[in-house]
Amino acid sequence: MTQTIQKTLRDSAGMRWTALLLLAFAMFCSYIFMDILSPIKDLMLSVRGWDSTSFGTMQGSETFLNVFVFFLIFAGIILDKMGVRFTAVLSGAVMLIGAIIKWYAVSDAFTGSGIETWFTNNLNYIPGFDELGVSPFFEGMPASAKVASCGFMIFGCGVEMAGITVSRGIVKWFKGREMALAMGSEMALARLGVATCMIFSPFFAKLGGNISVSRSVAFGVVLLCIALIMFIVYFFMDKKLDSQTGEAEEKDDPFKISDLGQILTSSGFWLVALLCVLYYSAIFPFQKYAVNMLQCNLTFTALDPNSFWAGSTVTIVQYIIMLVVAAAAFSFNFMKKPVLKYIMLCVAIVSLVTFCYMGYMRQSAETIFAVFPLLAVGITPILGNYVDHKGKAATMLVLGSLLLIGCHLTFAFILPMFQGNGAGGVIIAYVTILVLGASFSLVPASLWPSVPKLVDAKVIGSAYALIFWIQNIGLWLFPLLIGKVLDKSNEGVTDPTKYDYTNPLVMLACLGVAALALGLVLKIVDKKKGLGLEEPNIK
């Protein structure tokens, strides 16, 4: 008797990687919007009157509702009760609503409106929050910055909800298969959004010689419309999968609030969560200051306004080269024939060198920092594939901590030694930025796939939500700490390109030291309790 085995969408490599691409591209778009104003901070001062305090307060507002109203915890419960596809579409809609509000706040239509008048006269004092020093508004803050903060809060709820949903979705489609490779690949593509933002936000703001910061934000809004479409397409793919497998979003053993106890009592979970907040606090807050840090430590020369390097065409060319780097480096991991592998490797290396050369010739810090995710795109699949087949996730986290420490100390003590040496400083900066991005790729390749090994399947959404909530505390706190340490270290300095970043960078390196210590403890706990973190995902 011949038994027919019915294959599902999940059994097809092409279909499950298509599902991953939908999720990853949506996160790519959200990462662009997350830092859409970072490269044009100077324009926000000149065009909208935002000083550094207003700008920093607005940037920090992204995590406000997640941290202080516990929205991320509620998002995890929504995910566990309602399922991946519903929460994915909901997160896309929430991100888009917040983005539209932020776009309106920086548009010309807002100037002189009744809404501007109301926000100017109100929300200048928030009882309780002001006393604690965590208020998202303050007296004297421009109305446009207040409204932008409101929009960014809503966007922040959506983007973090999307983050935990995407992680849960990858677990659903890839568990027992190449899960670490999938998570690493998703994050590698998403982080290309950082480079895209650094290149295109100033481009759209200055397009045609007419300064308009709202164009940059509008660019991000359009991308979030596309992200929502990606989530809707994923909705139907996920529904088809459930109809094939007989699984249901509402489980026979439904989620209960009491189930959170098993997460909170897991020592392995807390170690992974603390490692996550240390990693992310040393990277994401740094990104918001990285361009200014490079401006303070590198020597740039003014370009001829009529030269190719000062024009808009070079932006498009450099971005195309960046895409070639990413595509070739990523494809290298999947080529079966040795000849094709080495061709892709050579194309990636040559394109990367060309990209870096163009960044140097453009004499701008933002185009130099745009190289941040490119090495990660190439090595994340390698790391993910290794963890899937060989394991050693905890060991990878220890290695990432060591690289993190080395990079921040290089920025603090070695890069300033090359000030005045144009080419030498840029080379040191490029190498360090690439390694820092590569070290960060160890997180999605090893940390996120470890969570399903620590908690029951029905509370994975809540587990990711708790980790993201803890992470958001760091993402709210450390931008403020960096700013305060920077101000204390540079009293009397009025030129923003003359700051000494040594102390803030040492503080970030200390986060790496703490992560290293926790990584070593995690290895001990894993060996003692048999958590399986050092074991492969595919057995």
Side-chain angles (χ1 to χ4, degrees):
M1 180 180 293
T2 304
Q3 184 177 3
T4 302
I5 301 176
Q6 182 180 4
K7 289 192 173 183
T8 67
L9 292 177
R10 188 163 48 200
D11 296 316
S12 167
M15 295 308 295
R16 65 176 178 268
W17 282 93
T18 298
L20 176 74
L21 182 62
L22 293 171
L23 296 174
F25 189 78
M27 294 307 296
F28 166 82
C29 295
S30 70
Y31 267 56
I32 292 175
F33 192 85
M34 195 181 300
D35 276 321
I36 198 70
L37 294 182
S38 294
I40 55 174
K41 177 180 179 293
D42 56 332
L43 298 182
M44 299 310 299
L45 173 61
S46 60
V47 177
R48 289 290 176 263
W50 294 13
D51 59 16
S52 295
T53 303
S54 299
F55 184 84
T57 302
M58 188 283 302
Q59 292 282 45
S61 68
E62 178 199 347
T63 60
F64 182 82
L65 294 178
N66 290 322
V67 172
F68 296 104
V69 189
F70 304 102
F71 181 82
L72 255 175
I73 307 301
F74 297 128
I77 294 173
I78 292 171
L79 176 57
D80 282 328
K81 291 185 73 69
M82 302 302 295
V84 174
R85 55 180 176 265
F86 171 86
T87 314
V89 175
L90 176 63
S91 66
V94 172
M95 283 194 293
L96 183 58
I97 291 170
I100 291 173
I101 294 173
K102 185 173 180 178
W103 167 76
Y104 171 68
V106 300
S107 68
D108 292 335
F110 179 80
T111 304
S113 66
I115 296 177
E116 181 184 31
T117 302
W118 190 91
F119 273 88
T120 299
N121 297 327
N122 295 277
L123 296 181
N124 293 314
Y125 171 71
I126 312 296
F129 289 105
D130 275 84
E131 283 76 9
L132 293 173
V134 299
S135 177
F137 312 110
F138 61 88
E139 188 172 3
M141 184 177 182
S144 58
K146 290 180 182 178
V147 177
S149 293
C150 293
F152 211 29
M153 288 180 202
I154 297 172
F155 168 81
C157 291
V159 74
E160 296 299 338
M161 182 191 293
I164 61 174
T165 303
V166 167
S167 296
R168 174 70 176 270
I170 294 173
V171 170
K172 180 175 183 177
W173 282 78
F174 286 87
K175 189 170 185 179
R177 296 175 173 86
E178 55 278 85
M179 185 165 61
L181 175 60
M183 286 192 170
S185 300
E186 178 270 323
M187 192 53 69
L189 176 59
R191 286 186 184 136
L192 283 177
V194 178
T196 303
C197 175
M198 293 295 167
I199 291 175
F200 278 106
S201 180
F203 172 78
F204 281 109
K206 302 173 183 177
L207 189 64
N210 178 30
I211 302 297
S212 174
V213 294
S214 65
R215 277 199 300 260
S216 295
V217 183
F219 166 63
V221 170
V222 171
L223 289 176
L224 289 178
C225 290
I226 298 173
L228 179 57
I229 294 172
M230 297 294 102
F231 280 140
I232 292 172
V233 174
Y234 173 82
F235 178 97
F236 291 104
M237 283 192 67
D238 191 82
K239 189 173 183 180
K240 177 67 174 177
L241 174 65
D242 282 355
S243 69
Q244 291 177 333
T245 61
E247 298 173 358
E249 294 283 89
E250 298 78 16
K251 307 173 184 63
D252 294 332
D253 184 15
F255 168 83
K256 302 184 291 294
I257 297 296
S258 59
D259 292 327
L260 293 176
Q262 67 170 279
I263 301 175
L264 299 176
T265 55
S266 169
S267 59
F269 167 82
W270 281 109
L271 287 171
V272 168
L274 291 174
L275 271 167
C276 175
V277 71
L278 291 171
Y279 264 112
Y280 278 73
S281 296
I283 299 291
F284 281 133
F286 170 72
Q287 283 179 195
K288 300 185 184 301
Y289 290 87
V291 172
N292 186 234
M293 184 276 293
L294 293 176
Q295 290 172 339
C296 295
N297 287 296
L298 297 177
T299 302
F300 294 110
T301 57
L303 297 174
D304 181 353
N306 298 319
S307 71
F308 169 74
W309 302 110
S312 58
T313 303
V314 68
T315 302
I316 307 297
V317 174
Q318 190 180 20
Y319 189 69
I320 291 173
I321 293 174
M322 187 201 79
L323 294 179
V324 172
V325 176
F330 190 77
S331 300
F332 163 80
N333 295 277
F334 302 95
M335 295 294 177
K336 301 297 183 182
K337 296 182 179 180
V339 175
L340 290 177
K341 285 180 71 74
Y342 289 114
I343 289 176
M344 287 295 101
L345 180 61
C346 290
V347 170
I349 292 173
V350 171
S351 301
L352 178 61
V353 172
T354 303
F355 181 88
C356 292
Y357 173 75
M358 295 183 73
Y360 168 68
M361 292 301 294
R362 294 184 69 181
Q363 292 291 292
S364 66
E366 59 266 25
T367 56
I368 290 176
F369 188 71
V371 78
F372 176 68
L374 294 187
L375 186 57
V377 174
I379 71 167
T380 299
I382 297 175
L383 297 172
N385 192 54
Y386 185 87
V387 173
D388 281 329
H389 292 88
K390 302 295 183 180
K392 306 298 181 184
T395 301
M396 291 284 190
L397 294 173
V398 171
L399 176 61
S401 301
L402 290 170
L403 293 176
L404 193 65
I405 297 167
C407 289
H408 283 309
L409 291 180
T410 299
F411 284 133
F413 298 109
I414 297 179
L415 186 61
M417 295 169 59
F418 286 83
Q419 199 164 26
N421 184 341
V426 169
I427 291 173
I428 295 294
Y430 269 135
V431 172
T432 310
I433 292 168
L434 285 167
V435 173
L436 183 65
S439 72
F440 199 31
S441 67
L442 290 162
V443 177
S446 55
L447 189 150
W448 296 122
S450 299
V451 177
K453 297 179 180 181
L454 303 173
V455 299
D456 189 84
K458 69 176 179 178
V459 292
I460 287 177
S462 295
Y464 280 125
L466 281 170
I467 292 177
F468 273 54
W469 178 71
I470 295 169
Q471 166 193 315
N472 270 240
I473 295 174
L475 298 186
W476 163 78
L477 176 62
F478 279 94
L480 297 178
L481 287 180
I482 292 173
K484 290 181 180 298
V485 173
L486 196 60
D487 284 339
K488 288 292 184 181
S489 304
N490 295 274
E491 292 182 352
V493 178
T494 56
D495 187 346
T497 65
K498 301 297 182 182
Y499 289 144
D500 180 358
Y501 268 84
T502 303
N503 291 333
L505 290 167
V506 169
M507 180 180 69
L508 296 177
C510 289
L511 292 179
V513 173
L516 175 61
L518 283 179
L520 294 173
V521 173
L522 182 63
K523 283 176 64 70
I524 295 172
V525 172
D526 175 63
K527 186 175 182 179
K528 182 179 179 180
K529 295 189 175 183
L531 300 177
L533 300 182
E534 294 285 84
E535 297 178 4
N537 294 321
I538 300 176
K539 299 180 180 179

